[in-house]
Amino acid sequence: MPDSRASKMALVCNHWGPGLAQIQDGKLTGVSPHPQDPAPSEINGNIASSLNGRARVLRPAVRKGWLENGPSATAGERGQDVFVEVDWPTALDLLAAETDRVRREHGNAAIFGGSYGWGSAGRFHHPQSQLKRFLNTLGGFVRSEGNYSYNAALVLLPHIVGNFRDHVKEATRFDVIAEHGDLLVMFGGIPLRNTQISDGGLGKHRIAASLKQCAKNGVRMVNISPLRSDADEVLGAEWVAPRPGTDVALMMGLARTLIEEGLHDLTFLEQYTVGFERVEAYLGGETDGVAKDAEWAETQCGVPAGWIRGLAREMAAKRTMISCAAGLQRADWGEQPLWMTVTLAAMLGQIGLPGGGYTIGYGVNGSVGVMDRLLRPGALPQGENPVTDFIPVAMSADMLLNPGAPYDYNGQSRTFPDTRMVWWAGGNPFHHHQDLNRLHEAFQRPETVVVNEMNWTATARHADIVLPVAAPEERRDFIAGKQDNCLIPSPALVPPAGEARTEYDIFCALAERMGVLEAFSEGRSEEDWLQSMWSRTVQSAAGEGIGLPDWAAFMAGDMIEMPDASPQQVFLAEFRADPVASSLPTPSGRIELFSAVIDGFGYDDCPGHPVWAQPRGMSDGSSRKWPLAMLSGQPATRLHSQLDNGAYSLSRKIQGREPVLIHPEDARARGIADGDIVEMFNGRGACLAGARVTRDISQGMVFLWTGAWHDPDYADPRRRDRHGNPNVLTHDLRTSRLAQGPASHSAFVEVRKYVGDPEAVTVHEPPGFCELDECTSRKK
């Protein structure tokens, strides 16, 4: 362990929190826990091995087919072509010329710079911000809107209750639940594996202790999820596992029971909501002839009607918090569980009371329900984007495959742009997008694909030009999480690997070639920008009565913890206290259980109030052919796909494959034993995985963690993934025409034991290369 001063100088922090880096002979060799973090993340165990791993992009590289044939959608196959390593001047000249060509021939609206992904946690070296600032100085780009985590909430909730991004910051604190609550009903649980992470970083992991305090104070918890571990064992939560995709039916059975037994709060509904009469008629079967009572709910979700009625009575009798996990919306008709959560909470009449009401998003990260930041830290301005066109974030494959095609979104009739150039920085769509075989085909369509990356992920292998970027530990920055109260220095600990550069350095070099260096850099170095951003942070803190050190002292020190902005926060307490003075930003100013605006859109897949519909795989019969419902979620071993080649991530794999959880009865029926390699497949694709036989998953379900780097076997006609990436199996359909969110949790598969020697996983090794003189380089 380094001495205290060395520990401070070796401070490291990412989206999963801080640590102390060990540096030996100029090499980062390990990361130990930060002494101030009460529950440090083991994801830090990936950093050293990934930074020093064989998958690092060490030099600029150009795809052979693109270099020989020029920009073309048919010049070789992206994903399996080999690369030519070139020097930086060559790479930058090629890229500057190609960017100018696309702008000149097709306009800036032909450039897609959506570049979704978490990237670095640093305030300055945030890849998307750097890329977007650069493209904006050139005249703009087509952007993406929303996110993969909770896009349905971002679009739906403003119509019925308000801005969801505000709501996660305003969520009732777990400490308030511990003091005032009696019952915590968790649809989708509150998985602690997710709470290792927080957008932009965090200083301390607090949620586990806060939930334990709730349990210690006698708050009863109910985990309604197919996965037992979605509630930590020490909480003593009752586990109930409905059929996949049927949470809305269960919620409706609870709601109808409240109505039948006169347990709903009519006074609250009349004073604070609009449209309950429409919902009541639907629940009673007046609109479709089907009463959504507890017996009906049992036929849909498999949970006994008696249990449903008992829980409804308990919820009405106790101070009850309803939690809806963000993952529930990443499914067919994903808007509906959100709307029904709000409806059920409104019927109980406890919204705005300490320990009661609802929260959508507990467990989505390590901050919701425990912390919010007091001030707004400095950030890199992205500038104005002259291009107004955008796509919903989950529709990138649709955009590339269907230029000019119409689609609906949130009441708008839109058309997809004709994209000629894709530029990705700080993300991995071959991790977070669905139906990767379809995405592979989509990535063949643009004329040029550019990727800034530190590792040879599948996205980098689908690029024409790959630019090696420095890792967070190889550049100087500071951390200030989106919803955290800590400011954390992030010094450069080791030199960049190979010829890697920071994104700012790369974009300055490109901007100089394209005549916009002054507009992009404003004449500032990286250090100038960092000091300017820190000065704005100091000024913001001074406005809150907090003194911060100067830049040099801050960077030489440890993390700084500031007060919580609202430690006794109760969601919608002001609205409850005065619904007129604190009216909601909805058309009525109240909670809209029926939305005339949404109803006016005329969407059959998302009408004006919450409705029930079976998942597509159940309603179209495909679940009979692929009988196991597959869920996929954030693993405990990494953030999404970041540092998948790190030691901690690799240590939890089975024979090098991602683990899939399968119930003992489902395994027995298929001759599968714990530790076997299995093949998972459906009509979209196939992958290999390692079987983990456990009763922690409900029967009829399998759970495959996300983030294994996509490793397709191109010799297989199905391009079977060798590594265990679930998105070769998920469909690329949307939640509805309203939000157009991803619906990855509505996949159905079959699983069988793999017989023989499986192909080796290759994606943690670099791709194939050839020498420049082996290619016929195109003329500039």
Side-chain angles (χ1 to χ4, degrees), residues 721-744:
D721 177 79
R722 306 175 179 98
H723 196 193
N725 189 309
N727 278 325
V728 299
L729 303 167
T730 53
H731 69 61
D732 197 15
L733 302 175
R734 309 276 84 78
T735 54
S736 79
R737 288 186 286 165
L738 179 76
Q740 295 285 7
S744 56

Side-chain angles (χ1 to χ4, degrees), residues 156-157 160-161 164 185-188 247-252 254-255 258 268 279 315 320-326 328-329 334-349 351 357-362 571 591 593 610-611:
L156 172 72
L157 292 178
I160 64 173
V161 104
F164 180 65
V185 178
M186 305 176 289
F187 288 93
D247 297 82
V248 170
L250 176 53
M251 293 179 188
M252 289 183 171
L254 292 166
L258 296 177
F268 182 91
V279 176
M315 293 171 74
T320 300
M321 173 63 73
I322 303 173
S323 169
C324 178
L328 266 68
Q329 68 195 285
E335 294 85 356
Q336 302 310 314
L338 308 178
W339 210 340
M340 199 59 216
T341 295
V342 178
T343 300
L344 185 56
M347 292 174 65
L348 291 173
I351 292 174
Y358 78 93
T359 296
I360 295 169
Y362 279 147
F571 181 50
I591 299 169
L593 306 183
V611 295

Side-chain angles (χ1 to χ4, degrees), residues 536-590:
R536 292 198 296 273
T537 306
V538 171
Q539 293 170 8
S540 180
E544 300 293 339
I546 298 173
L548 294 177
D550 64 25
W551 174 245
F554 169 67
M555 288 301 292
D558 205 338
M559 66 181 180
I560 298 171
E561 185 173 2
M562 295 176 294
D564 182 1
S566 183
Q568 296 298 309
Q569 178 70 39
V570 175
F571 181 50
L572 294 182
E574 295 84 0
F575 171 64
R576 186 183 185 97
D578 190 336
V580 176
S582 299
S583 61
L584 301 179
T586 61
S588 65
R590 293 187 278 175

